Coordinates of all heavy atoms in Angstrom, one line a residue:
M1 N 136.6 129.1 17.2 CA 136.5 129.8 15.9 C 135.3 130.9 16.0 O 134.2 130.5 16.3 CB 136.2 128.8 14.8 CG 136.1 129.5 13.5 SD 136.1 128.3 12.1 CE 137.9 128.3 11.7
V2 N 135.6 132.1 15.8 CA 134.7 133.1 15.9 C 133.7 133.1 14.7 O 134.0 132.8 13.6 CB 135.4 134.5 15.8 CG1 134.4 135.6 15.8 CG2 136.5 134.7 17.0
G3 N 132.4 133.2 15.1 CA 131.3 133.2 14.1 C 130.8 131.9 13.8 O 129.8 131.8 13.1
K4 N 131.4 130.8 14.3 CA 130.9 129.5 13.9 C 130.1 129.0 15.2 O 130.6 129.1 16.3 CB 132.0 128.5 13.8 CG 132.8 128.8 12.5 CD 132.0 128.3 11.3 CE 132.9 128.5 10.1 NZ 132.2 128.0 8.8
P5 N 128.8 128.6 15.0 CA 128.1 128.0 16.1 C 128.8 126.8 16.7 O 129.3 126.0 16.1 CB 126.8 127.6 15.5 CG 126.7 128.3 14.2 CD 128.1 128.5 13.7
Q6 N 128.8 126.8 18.1 CA 129.4 125.8 18.8 C 128.3 125.2 19.9 O 127.5 125.9 20.3 CB 130.6 126.3 19.6 CG 131.8 126.7 18.7 CD 133.0 127.2 19.4 OE1 133.2 126.7 20.5 NE2 133.7 127.9 18.8
F7 N 128.5 123.9 20.2 CA 127.8 123.3 21.2 C 128.7 123.1 22.3 O 129.9 122.6 22.1 CB 127.3 122.0 20.7 CG 126.3 121.3 21.6 CD1 125.1 121.8 21.8 CD2 126.7 120.3 22.4 CE1 124.2 121.2 22.7 CE2 125.8 119.6 23.3 CZ 124.5 120.1 23.5
H8 N 128.3 123.4 23.6 CA 129.2 123.3 24.8 C 129.1 122.2 25.7 O 129.8 122.0 26.6 CB 129.1 124.6 25.5 CG 129.5 125.8 24.7 ND1 130.8 126.1 24.4 CD2 128.8 126.7 24.0 CE1 130.9 127.3 23.6 NE2 129.7 127.6 23.4
G9 N 128.1 121.2 25.4 CA 128.0 120.1 26.2 C 128.6 118.9 25.5 O 129.1 118.9 24.5
P10 N 128.5 117.7 26.3 CA 129.1 116.5 25.7 C 128.2 115.9 24.6 O 126.9 116.2 24.5 CB 129.1 115.5 26.9 CG 128.0 116.0 27.8 CD 128.0 117.5 27.6
V11 N 128.8 115.3 23.6 CA 128.1 114.6 22.5 C 128.7 113.2 22.4 O 129.8 113.0 22.7 CB 128.1 115.3 21.2 CG1 127.4 116.6 21.2 CG2 129.5 115.4 20.6
A12 N 127.9 112.2 22.0 CA 128.3 110.8 21.9 C 127.5 110.1 20.8 O 126.3 110.3 20.8 CB 128.3 110.1 23.2
R13 N 128.1 109.4 20.0 CA 127.5 108.5 19.1 C 127.0 107.2 19.5 O 126.2 106.6 18.9 CB 128.4 108.3 17.8 CG 128.8 109.6 17.0 CD 129.8 109.2 16.0 NE 129.9 110.3 15.0 CZ 130.9 110.5 14.2 NH1 131.9 109.5 14.1 NH2 131.0 111.4 13.4
S14 N 127.4 106.8 20.7 CA 127.0 105.5 21.3 C 126.1 105.7 22.4 O 126.3 106.6 23.3 CB 128.3 104.8 21.8 OG 128.0 103.6 22.4
C15 N 125.1 104.9 22.5 CA 124.0 105.1 23.5 C 124.6 104.8 24.9 O 123.9 105.2 26.0 CB 122.9 104.2 23.3 SG 123.2 102.4 23.3
D16 N 125.7 104.2 25.1 CA 126.2 104.0 26.4 C 127.2 105.0 26.9 O 127.8 104.9 27.9 CB 126.9 102.6 26.6 CG 128.1 102.4 25.6 OD1 128.2 103.2 24.7 OD2 128.8 101.5 25.8
E17 N 127.2 106.1 26.2 CA 128.2 107.2 26.5 C 127.3 108.5 26.9 O 126.3 108.8 26.4 CB 129.0 107.7 25.3 CG 129.9 106.6 24.9 CD 131.3 106.8 25.3 OE1 131.6 107.5 26.3 OE2 132.2 106.2 24.7
E18 N 127.9 109.2 27.8 CA 127.3 110.5 28.2 C 127.3 111.4 27.0 O 128.3 111.5 26.3 CB 128.1 111.2 29.3 CG 127.5 112.6 29.7 CD 128.5 113.3 30.7 OE1 129.5 112.9 31.0 OE2 128.0 114.4 31.2
G19 N 126.2 112.1 26.7 CA 126.1 113.0 25.5 C 125.4 112.4 24.4 O 125.2 113.1 23.4
F20 N 124.9 111.1 24.5 CA 124.2 110.4 23.4 C 122.8 111.2 23.1 O 122.5 111.5 22.0 CB 123.9 109.0 23.7 CG 123.2 108.3 22.6 CD1 123.7 108.0 21.4 CD2 121.9 107.9 22.8 CE1 123.1 107.3 20.4 CE2 121.2 107.1 21.9 CZ 121.8 106.9 20.6
R21 N 122.1 111.6 24.1 CA 120.9 112.3 23.9 C 121.2 113.7 23.2 O 120.4 114.0 22.3 CB 120.2 112.6 25.3 CG 118.9 113.4 25.1 CD 118.2 113.5 26.4 NE 117.5 112.2 26.6 CZ 116.8 111.8 27.6 NH1 116.7 112.7 28.6 NH2 116.2 110.7 27.7
N22 N 122.3 114.3 23.6 CA 122.5 115.6 22.9 C 122.8 115.4 21.5 O 122.4 116.2 20.6 CB 123.8 116.3 23.5 CG 123.6 116.8 25.0 OD1 122.5 117.1 25.3 ND2 124.6 116.9 25.6
Y23 N 123.6 114.3 21.1 CA 123.9 114.0 19.7 C 122.6 113.7 19.0 O 122.4 114.2 17.8 CB 124.8 112.7 19.7 CG 125.2 112.4 18.3 CD1 126.3 113.0 17.7 CD2 124.5 111.4 17.6 CE1 126.7 112.6 16.4 CE2 124.9 111.1 16.3 CZ 126.0 111.7 15.7 OH 126.4 111.3 14.4
C24 N 121.7 112.9 19.6 CA 120.5 112.6 18.8 C 119.6 113.8 18.7 O 119.1 114.0 17.6 CB 119.7 111.5 19.7 SG 120.4 109.9 19.8
N25 N 119.5 114.7 19.7 CA 118.7 115.9 19.6 C 119.2 116.9 18.5 O 118.5 117.4 17.7 CB 118.5 116.6 20.9 CG 117.6 115.9 21.9 OD1 116.8 115.1 21.5 ND2 117.9 116.1 23.2
L26 N 120.5 117.0 18.5 CA 121.1 117.9 17.5 C 120.9 117.3 16.1 O 120.5 118.0 15.2 CB 122.6 118.1 17.7 CG 123.0 119.0 18.9 CD1 124.4 118.8 19.2 CD2 122.7 120.4 18.6
S27 N 121.0 116.0 15.9 CA 120.8 115.4 14.6 C 119.4 115.5 14.2 O 119.1 115.8 13.0 CB 121.2 113.9 14.7 OG 122.6 113.8 14.8
L28 N 118.5 115.2 15.1 CA 117.0 115.4 14.8 C 116.6 116.8 14.5 O 115.7 117.0 13.7 CB 116.2 114.8 16.0 CG 116.1 113.3 16.1 CD1 115.5 113.0 17.4 CD2 115.4 112.7 14.9
D29 N 117.4 117.8 15.0 CA 117.0 119.2 14.7 C 117.7 119.7 13.5 O 117.7 120.8 13.2 CB 117.4 120.1 15.9 CG 116.4 119.9 17.1 OD1 115.3 119.5 16.9 OD2 116.9 120.3 18.3
G30 N 118.4 118.7 12.7 CA 118.9 119.1 11.5 C 120.3 119.7 11.5 O 120.7 120.4 10.6
F31 N 121.1 119.4 12.5 CA 122.5 119.9 12.6 C 123.4 118.8 12.2 O 123.4 117.6 12.5 CB 122.8 120.4 14.1 CG 122.1 121.7 14.5 CD1 120.9 121.6 15.1 CD2 122.7 122.9 14.1 CE1 120.3 122.8 15.5 CE2 122.1 124.0 14.4 CZ 120.9 124.0 15.1
K32 N 124.5 119.3 11.5 CA 125.7 118.5 11.3 C 126.6 118.8 12.5 O 126.9 119.9 12.8 CB 126.4 118.9 10.0 CG 127.7 118.2 9.7 CD 128.2 118.7 8.3 CE 129.5 118.0 8.1 NZ 130.2 118.4 6.8
I33 N 127.2 117.7 13.0 CA 128.0 117.9 14.2 C 129.5 117.5 13.8 O 129.8 116.5 13.2 CB 127.5 116.9 15.3 CG1 126.1 117.2 15.7 CG2 128.5 117.0 16.6 CD1 125.4 116.1 16.3
R34 N 130.4 118.4 14.1 CA 131.8 118.2 13.8 C 132.6 118.5 15.0 O 132.4 119.4 15.8 CB 132.3 119.1 12.7 CG 131.6 118.8 11.3 CD 131.9 119.9 10.3 NE 133.3 119.9 9.9 CZ 133.8 120.9 9.4 NH1 133.2 122.1 9.2 NH2 135.1 120.9 9.1
V35 N 133.5 117.4 15.3 CA 134.3 117.5 16.5 C 135.8 117.8 16.2 O 136.3 117.2 15.3 CB 134.2 116.2 17.4 CG1 135.2 116.1 18.5 CG2 132.7 116.0 17.8
F36 N 136.3 118.8 16.9 CA 137.7 119.1 16.7 C 138.5 119.0 18.0 O 138.0 119.4 19.0 CB 137.8 120.6 16.2 CG 137.2 120.8 14.8 CD1 135.9 120.9 14.6 CD2 138.0 120.9 13.7 CE1 135.4 121.1 13.3 CE2 137.5 121.1 12.4 CZ 136.2 121.2 12.2
L37 N 139.8 118.6 17.8 CA 140.7 118.4 19.0 C 141.9 119.2 18.6 O 142.6 118.9 17.5 CB 141.1 117.0 19.3 CG 142.1 116.9 20.4 CD1 141.6 117.3 21.7 CD2 142.5 115.3 20.5
N38 N 142.2 120.2 19.3 CA 143.4 121.2 18.9 C 143.3 121.6 17.5 O 144.3 121.5 16.7 CB 144.7 120.5 19.3 CG 144.8 120.1 20.8 OD1 144.3 120.9 21.6 ND2 145.4 119.1 21.0
D39 N 142.1 122.0 17.0 CA 141.8 122.4 15.6 C 141.9 121.4 14.5 O 141.9 121.7 13.3 CB 142.7 123.7 15.2 CG 142.4 124.9 16.0 OD1 141.2 125.1 16.3 OD2 143.3 125.6 16.4
A40 N 142.1 120.1 14.9 CA 142.1 119.0 13.9 C 140.8 118.3 14.0 O 140.4 117.8 15.1 CB 143.3 118.0 14.2
E41 N 140.0 118.1 12.9 CA 138.8 117.4 12.9 C 138.9 115.9 13.3 O 139.9 115.3 12.7 CB 138.0 117.6 11.6 CG 136.7 117.0 11.6 CD 135.7 117.4 10.5 OE1 136.3 118.0 9.5 OE2 134.5 117.1 10.6
Q42 N 138.1 115.5 14.1 CA 138.2 114.1 14.5 C 137.0 113.4 13.9 O 135.8 113.5 14.3 CB 138.1 114.0 16.1 CG 139.1 114.7 16.8 CD 140.5 114.2 16.5 OE1 140.8 113.1 16.7 NE2 141.3 115.2 16.0
I43 N 137.3 112.6 12.8 CA 136.3 111.9 12.1 C 135.7 110.7 12.8 O 134.5 110.5 12.8 CB 136.8 111.5 10.6 CG1 137.3 112.7 9.9 CG2 135.7 110.8 9.9 CD1 136.3 113.8 9.7
E44 N 136.5 109.9 13.3 CA 136.1 108.6 14.0 C 136.0 108.8 15.5 O 136.5 107.9 16.3 CB 137.3 107.6 13.7 CG 137.4 107.3 12.2 CD 136.1 106.7 11.6 OE1 135.5 105.9 12.3 OE2 135.9 106.9 10.4
Y45 N 135.3 109.8 15.9 CA 135.1 110.0 17.4 C 133.9 109.3 17.8 O 133.0 109.0 17.0 CB 134.9 111.5 17.7 CG 133.6 112.1 17.3 CD1 132.5 112.1 18.2 CD2 133.4 112.6 16.0 CE1 131.3 112.6 17.8 CE2 132.2 113.1 15.7 CZ 131.2 113.1 16.6 OH 129.9 113.7 16.2
T46 N 133.9 108.8 19.0 CA 132.7 108.1 19.6 C 132.1 109.1 20.6 O 130.8 109.0 20.8 CB 133.0 106.8 20.3 OG1 133.9 107.0 21.3 CG2 133.5 105.8 19.2
A47 N 132.8 109.9 21.3 CA 132.3 110.9 22.2 C 133.2 112.0 22.4 O 134.4 111.8 22.1 CB 132.1 110.2 23.6
A48 N 132.6 113.1 22.9 CA 133.5 114.4 23.1 C 132.9 115.2 24.1 O 131.7 115.3 24.3 CB 133.7 115.1 21.8
N49 N 133.8 115.8 24.9 CA 133.3 116.7 26.0 C 134.2 118.0 26.0 O 135.3 118.0 26.5 CB 133.3 116.0 27.3 CG 132.6 116.8 28.4 OD1 132.7 118.0 28.4 ND2 131.9 116.1 29.3
P50 N 133.7 119.1 25.4 CA 134.5 120.3 25.4 C 134.8 120.9 26.8 O 135.8 121.5 27.0 CB 133.8 121.3 24.5 CG 132.4 120.8 24.5 CD 132.4 119.3 24.8
E51 N 133.9 120.8 27.7 CA 134.0 121.2 29.0 C 135.2 120.6 29.8 O 135.9 121.2 30.6 CB 132.7 121.3 29.8 CG 131.7 122.1 29.2 CD 130.3 121.9 29.8 OE1 130.1 120.9 30.6 OE2 129.4 122.7 29.6
E52 N 135.3 119.3 29.5 CA 136.4 118.5 30.2 C 137.6 118.3 29.4 O 138.6 117.8 29.8 CB 135.8 117.1 30.6 CG 134.7 117.3 31.7 CD 134.1 115.9 32.1 OE1 134.7 114.9 31.7 OE2 133.1 115.9 32.9
G53 N 137.5 118.7 28.1 CA 138.7 118.7 27.2 C 139.1 117.3 26.8 O 140.3 117.1 26.7
W54 N 138.2 116.4 26.4 CA 138.6 115.2 25.8 C 137.7 114.7 24.7 O 136.6 115.2 24.6 CB 138.7 114.1 26.9 CG 137.4 113.9 27.7 CD1 137.0 114.4 28.8 CD2 136.2 113.1 27.3 NE1 135.7 114.0 29.1 CE2 135.2 113.2 28.2 CE3 135.9 112.3 26.1 CZ2 134.0 112.5 28.1 CZ3 134.7 111.7 26.0 CH2 133.8 111.8 27.0
V55 N 138.3 113.9 23.8 CA 137.6 113.2 22.7 C 138.0 111.8 22.8 O 139.1 111.4 22.9 CB 138.0 113.7 21.4 CG1 137.4 113.0 20.2 CG2 137.7 115.3 21.2
R56 N 136.9 110.9 22.7 CA 137.2 109.5 22.6 C 137.1 109.0 21.1 O 136.1 109.4 20.4 CB 136.1 108.7 23.5 CG 136.5 107.3 23.7 CD 135.7 106.6 24.9 NE 136.1 107.3 26.1 CZ 135.3 107.9 26.9 NH1 134.0 108.1 26.6 NH2 135.7 108.5 28.0
V57 N 138.2 108.4 20.6 CA 138.2 108.0 19.2 C 138.5 106.6 19.0 O 138.9 105.9 19.9 CB 139.3 108.9 18.5 CG1 139.1 110.3 18.6 CG2 140.7 108.6 19.1
I58 N 138.2 106.2 17.7 CA 138.5 104.8 17.3 C 139.9 104.9 16.7 O 140.0 105.7 15.7 CB 137.5 104.2 16.3 CG1 136.1 104.2 17.0 CG2 137.8 102.9 15.8 CD1 134.9 104.0 16.0
P59 N 140.8 104.1 17.1 CA 142.2 104.2 16.4 C 142.1 103.8 14.9 O 141.3 102.9 14.5 CB 143.0 103.1 17.1 CG 142.3 102.9 18.4 CD 140.9 103.2 18.2
P60 N 142.8 104.5 14.1 CA 142.8 104.3 12.7 C 143.1 102.8 12.2 O 144.0 102.2 12.8 CB 143.8 105.3 12.0 CG 144.1 106.2 13.1 CD 143.8 105.6 14.4
G61 N 142.4 102.3 11.4 CA 142.7 100.9 10.8 C 142.1 99.7 11.6 O 142.3 98.6 11.2
N62 N 141.6 100.0 12.8 CA 141.1 98.9 13.6 C 139.8 99.3 14.4 O 139.9 99.7 15.5 CB 142.1 98.4 14.5 CG 141.7 97.1 15.2 OD1 140.6 96.6 15.1 ND2 142.6 96.5 16.0
S63 N 138.7 99.1 13.7 CA 137.4 99.6 14.3 C 137.0 98.7 15.5 O 136.1 99.1 16.3 CB 136.3 99.6 13.3 OG 136.1 98.3 12.8
L64 N 137.7 97.6 15.7 CA 137.3 96.7 16.8 C 138.2 96.9 18.1 O 137.9 96.3 19.2 CB 137.4 95.2 16.4 CG 136.5 94.8 15.2 CD1 136.8 93.3 14.9 CD2 135.0 95.0 15.6
S65 N 139.2 97.7 17.9 CA 140.1 98.0 19.1 C 139.4 98.9 20.1 O 138.4 99.5 19.8 CB 141.4 98.6 18.6 OG 141.2 99.8 18.1
A66 N 140.0 98.9 21.2 CA 139.5 99.8 22.4 C 139.6 101.2 22.0 O 140.5 101.6 21.2 CB 140.3 99.5 23.6
R67 N 138.7 102.0 22.5 CA 138.6 103.4 22.2 C 139.8 104.0 23.0 O 140.2 103.6 24.0 CB 137.3 104.0 22.7 CG 136.0 103.4 22.1 CD 136.2 103.3 20.5 NE 134.9 102.8 20.0 CZ 134.8 101.7 19.2 NH1 135.8 100.9 19.1 NH2 133.7 101.4 18.8
V68 N 140.3 105.2 22.4 CA 141.3 105.9 23.0 C 140.8 107.3 23.3 O 140.1 107.9 22.6 CB 142.5 106.0 22.0 CG1 143.6 106.9 22.6 CG2 143.1 104.6 21.6
T69 N 141.2 107.8 24.6 CA 140.8 109.1 25.0 C 141.9 110.0 24.8 O 143.0 109.9 25.3 CB 140.3 109.1 26.4 OG1 139.2 108.2 26.5 CG2 139.8 110.5 26.8
L70 N 141.7 111.1 24.0 CA 142.7 112.2 23.7 C 142.2 113.4 24.4 O 141.1 113.7 24.6 CB 142.8 112.4 22.2 CG 143.1 111.2 21.3 CD1 142.9 111.6 19.9 CD2 144.4 110.6 21.7
T71 N 143.2 114.2 24.9 CA 142.9 115.5 25.6 C 143.5 116.6 24.9 O 144.4 116.5 24.2 CB 143.4 115.4 27.1 OG1 144.8 115.2 27.1 CG2 142.7 114.3 27.9
G72 N 142.8 117.8 25.2 CA 143.3 119.0 24.6 C 142.1 120.0 24.5 O 141.1 119.9 25.2
Y73 N 142.2 120.9 23.6 CA 141.2 121.9 23.3 C 140.2 121.3 22.4 O 140.4 121.0 21.2 CB 141.8 123.2 22.7 CG 140.7 124.2 22.4 CD1 140.0 124.8 23.5 CD2 140.4 124.5 21.1 CE1 139.1 125.8 23.2 CE2 139.4 125.5 20.9 CZ 138.8 126.1 21.9 OH 137.8 127.0 21.6
V74 N 138.9 121.2 22.9 CA 137.9 120.5 22.1 C 136.8 121.4 21.8 O 136.4 122.3 22.6 CB 137.2 119.3 23.0 CG1 136.1 118.8 22.2 CG2 138.3 118.3 23.3
E75 N 136.4 121.4 20.5 CA 135.3 122.3 20.0 C 134.3 121.3 19.2 O 134.7 120.4 18.6 CB 135.7 123.3 18.9 CG 136.4 124.5 19.3 CD 136.8 125.4 18.2 OE1 137.6 125.0 17.4 OE2 136.1 126.4 18.1
I76 N 133.0 121.5 19.5 CA 132.0 120.9 18.8 C 131.3 122.0 18.0 O 130.6 122.8 18.5 CB 131.0 120.2 19.8 CG1 131.7 119.1 20.6 CG2 129.8 119.6 19.0 CD1 130.9 118.6 21.7
R77 N 131.6 121.9 16.7 CA 130.9 122.8 15.8 C 129.7 122.3 15.2 O 129.7 121.1 14.7 CB 131.9 123.2 14.7 CG 133.2 123.8 15.3 CD 134.2 124.2 14.1 NE 135.5 124.5 14.7 CZ 136.6 124.6 14.0 NH1 136.5 124.4 12.7 NH2 137.7 124.9 14.6
I78 N 128.7 123.0 15.1 CA 127.4 122.6 14.6 C 126.9 123.5 13.4 O 127.2 124.7 13.4 CB 126.2 122.5 15.6 CG1 126.1 123.9 16.3 CG2 126.6 121.5 16.7 CD1 124.9 123.9 17.2
E79 N 126.3 122.9 12.4 CA 125.9 123.6 11.2 C 124.5 123.1 10.9 O 124.4 121.8 10.7 CB 126.9 123.5 10.1 CG 126.5 124.1 8.8 CD 127.4 123.8 7.7 OE1 128.5 123.4 8.0 OE2 127.0 123.9 6.5
R80 N 123.5 123.9 10.8 CA 122.2 123.5 10.4 C 122.3 123.1 8.9 O 122.6 123.8 8.0 CB 121.1 124.5 10.6 CG 119.7 124.0 10.3 CD 118.6 124.9 10.6 NE 118.5 125.2 12.1 CZ 117.9 124.4 13.0 NH1 117.5 123.3 12.7 NH2 117.9 124.8 14.2
T81 N 121.9 121.8 8.6 CA 121.9 121.3 7.2 C 120.5 121.0 6.7 O 120.3 120.9 5.5 CB 122.7 120.0 7.1 OG1 122.2 119.0 8.0 CG2 124.2 120.3 7.5
S82 N 119.6 120.9 7.6 CA 118.2 120.7 7.2 C 117.2 121.2 8.3 O 117.6 121.6 9.4 CB 117.9 119.2 6.9 OG 118.1 118.5 8.1
R83 N 116.0 121.2 7.9 CA 114.9 121.5 9.0 C 114.8 120.4 9.9 O 115.2 119.3 9.6 CB 113.6 121.8 8.3 CG 113.7 122.9 7.3 CD 112.4 123.2 6.7 NE 111.9 124.3 7.6 CZ 110.7 124.9 7.3 NH1 109.9 124.5 6.4 NH2 110.3 125.9 8.1
S84 N 114.2 120.6 11.1 CA 114.1 119.6 12.1 C 113.3 118.4 11.5 O 112.4 118.6 10.8 CB 113.3 120.3 13.2 OG 113.0 119.3 14.2
G85 N 113.7 117.2 11.9 CA 113.1 116.0 11.5 C 112.0 115.7 12.5 O 111.3 114.6 12.4
R86 N 111.7 116.6 13.5 CA 110.6 116.3 14.5 C 109.3 116.8 14.0 O 109.2 117.7 13.2 CB 111.0 117.0 15.8 CG 112.3 116.5 16.4 CD 112.7 117.4 17.5 NE 114.0 117.2 17.9 CZ 114.4 116.9 19.1 NH1 113.5 116.7 20.1 NH2 115.7 116.7 19.5
T87 N 108.3 116.1 14.5 CA 107.0 116.6 14.1 C 106.3 117.2 15.2 O 106.7 117.2 16.4 CB 106.1 115.3 13.7 OG1 106.2 114.4 14.8 CG2 106.7 114.7 12.4

């Protein structure tokens, strides 16, 4: 999407996934992180990698089930929502 800030590395909400440090740093710097797969926002994602074209998601309705990896065009859009939480 033209004009929208994007992050080009991996992000992950789980500490055992590649990209967890990126997710934490963006959050601490006051950014809202939104993940899109083929222009559809992925709310229940656990990890995403735009360079490799995949998003790992929690299947709807069962938060305890195994994660599913979906492939396609991945965008990580960021928006500053607050000042940095760092001191």
Side-chain angles (χ1 to χ4, degrees):
M1 178 171 266
V2 177
K4 295 282 186 178
Q6 295 182 26
F7 186 77
H8 297 281
V11 295
R13 291 176 169 167
S14 177
C15 64
D16 62 342
E17 296 260 18
E18 178 187 8
F20 181 67
R21 179 173 281 176
N22 292 338
Y23 182 86
C24 291
N25 287 336
L26 287 166
S27 295
L28 284 171
D29 286 340
F31 286 97
K32 177 181 178 182
I33 303 162
R34 297 171 62 202
V35 172
F36 292 80
L37 176 65
N38 300 328
D39 291 323
E41 187 168 7
Q42 304 299 301
I43 304 298
E44 298 297 327
Y45 74 92
T46 60
N49 190 322
E51 294 172 350
E52 295 180 7
W54 58 263
V55 177
R56 195 162 292 118
V57 298
I58 300 169
N62 188 354
S63 62
L64 299 177
S65 65
R67 306 309 186 239
V68 175
T69 302
L70 306 173
T71 59
Y73 177 69
V74 176
E75 282 184 289
I76 299 172
R77 299 179 192 168
I78 57 175
E79 176 184 341
R80 186 174 297 280
T81 58
S82 64
R83 299 185 96 177
S84 172
R86 299 175 194 231
T87 56

